[in-house]
Amino acid sequence: MITLQNVNKAYKEFALKDLSFSVKKGFITGFIGPNGAGKTTTIKLMLNLLEADSGSIKVFGDDYSTQMNKIKQRIGFIYADHHLYGHMTIEKMKKVIATFYTNWDDQVFASYMERLELPWKRKINQLSKGMGTKLSIAIALSHHADLIILDEPTSGLDPISRREILNLLAEVIQDEEKAIFFSSHITSDLEQIADYITFIHDGKIVFSDSKETITDQHYLVRGANELLDKDIRTLFVQVRETSVGFEGLTNQAELVKRLMGEHVVMERASLEDIMVYTVGKP
């Protein structure tokens, strides 16, 4: 659905460097990274809201320079904070938005309004954060978009609203002709529904692979400090030592099992563990 190849974008104090990854049809791709890593800038490049300094971005196999209107008709986009006219009711806002899309479907929108219990006559600025997010999702799904891009859609929502939105996205992806690109710092949400994970840090891609492959490779390892010699330390992304022993993240699980298996305790790392040990101080 989307392919980025060696994409660069530089600012005075920050730069995206040689970004290369893809978003596959029929799957949910999670996009993770700490604040300031470049997630939103990457999404703006994918939506042609920013222009790359170099590299190529293909969407549906096409280029924005020649097929911009065609591409944007097929994309649904959801911000963490919606950018709709607050003084309008949902009913009036729908009439405005419907004119933008050649494939707008009033029946689909009405069905999402009912399912998500959204009030037609309520003004946008009177909606709760959760309702605003649900409305953005209803809009994105009502013009039969093939690609849904979400930028922190569940941020600040209560657990019930988050679960409702995740269930909805899981249903949407049952249509294997669609794809979802889901940027979030709530890694537990992505562990529930994502098929692929792309991890960005300091403007660079750390990895982009299937969630299964990533969790198979990354383990938390605990053991006695005396096990850590110079060679063993190279097997770890980062190690935290205390008076009672060490805990470290490895992305070479099989090698660690072979060399240290009987002397350490190993457990699969969560996406949060991977992110914290890779970019922070655990």
Side-chain angles (χ1 to χ4, degrees), residues 7-263:
V7 172
N8 293 273
K9 179 68 178 179
Y11 296 96
K12 184 177 291 186
E13 297 180 352
F14 176 78
L16 295 178
K17 307 151 196 167
D18 290 321
L19 298 193
S20 295
F21 66 91
S22 62
V23 178
K24 297 175 174 59
K25 181 166 66 174
F27 298 100
I28 297 176
T29 297
F31 193 38
I32 65 172
N35 291 337
K39 298 192 299 295
T40 297
T41 301
T42 301
I43 287 174
K44 287 181 177 180
L45 289 167
M46 293 165 71
L47 293 169
N48 200 41
L49 300 175
L50 291 174
E51 185 175 350
D53 297 333
S54 61
S56 68
I57 301 173
K58 298 286 186 181
V59 187
F60 311 120
D62 291 323
D63 192 295
Y64 276 113
S65 63
T66 58
Q67 301 289 337
M68 182 168 67
N69 290 335
K70 177 183 172 184
I71 290 171
K72 292 199 171 183
Q73 286 289 326
R74 297 176 63 189
I75 295 177
F77 180 55
I78 300 154
Y79 279 107
D81 299 306
H82 64 74
H83 295 266
L84 304 173
Y85 296 131
H87 66 281
M88 286 189 174
T89 63
I90 293 179
E91 188 173 33
K92 289 182 178 179
M93 190 76 249
K94 186 273 295 183
K95 290 178 181 178
V96 172
I97 291 173
T99 62
F100 298 156
Y101 297 104
T102 57
N103 289 327
W104 181 267
D105 192 322
D106 274 340
Q107 286 188 321
V108 170
F109 184 74
S111 70
Y112 281 120
M113 287 290 293
E114 180 177 359
R115 172 176 175 174
L116 298 173
E117 299 179 339
L118 294 169
W120 286 94
K121 302 297 184 181
R122 185 84 57 88
K123 288 186 177 181
I124 304 294
N125 60 14
Q126 296 174 338
L127 298 177
S128 67
K129 183 174 178 62
M131 279 188 169
T133 301
K134 290 177 185 178
L135 175 58
S136 295
I137 290 175
I139 291 169
L141 298 177
S142 294
H143 59 93
H144 299 285
D146 295 312
L147 172 64
I148 312 296
I149 297 177
L150 306 101
D151 190 5
E152 303 285 357
T154 56
S155 176
L157 300 186
D158 63 82
I160 294 173
S161 295
R162 281 173 48 210
R163 180 62 59 89
E164 191 174 6
I165 288 169
L166 295 180
N167 289 342
L168 182 58
L169 296 176
E171 288 180 22
V172 169
I173 206 62
Q174 296 305 309
D175 181 348
E176 296 183 357
E177 294 301 308
K178 297 185 183 298
I180 294 174
F181 186 74
F182 189 158
S183 172
S184 180
H185 68 275
I186 305 176
T187 53
S188 59
D189 287 351
L190 299 179
E191 285 177 327
Q192 289 185 53
I193 65 169
D195 303 292
Y196 289 85
I197 299 292
T198 296
F199 178 15
I200 188 171
H201 172 51
D202 195 25
K204 299 177 183 177
I205 299 300
V206 179
F207 57 67
S208 186
D209 212 331
S210 72
K211 184 177 65 180
E212 182 179 341
T213 298
I214 292 163
T215 56
D216 282 347
Q217 290 175 341
H218 290 83
Y219 274 71
L220 286 180
V221 183
R222 299 180 183 90
N225 289 332
E226 52 264 29
L227 295 172
L228 295 172
D229 60 28
K230 181 179 179 181
D231 293 329
I232 290 295
R233 287 178 185 275
T234 64
L235 303 176
F236 292 92
V237 175
Q238 191 176 161
V239 172
R240 178 174 63 91
E241 295 177 70
T242 69
S243 59
V244 297
F246 79 88
E247 179 179 88
L249 177 74
T250 182
N251 56 9
Q252 301 180 68
E254 289 303 319
L255 186 54
V256 170
K257 285 178 184 176
R258 192 161 68 246
L259 295 177
M260 306 179 70
E262 62 185 41
H263 302 293

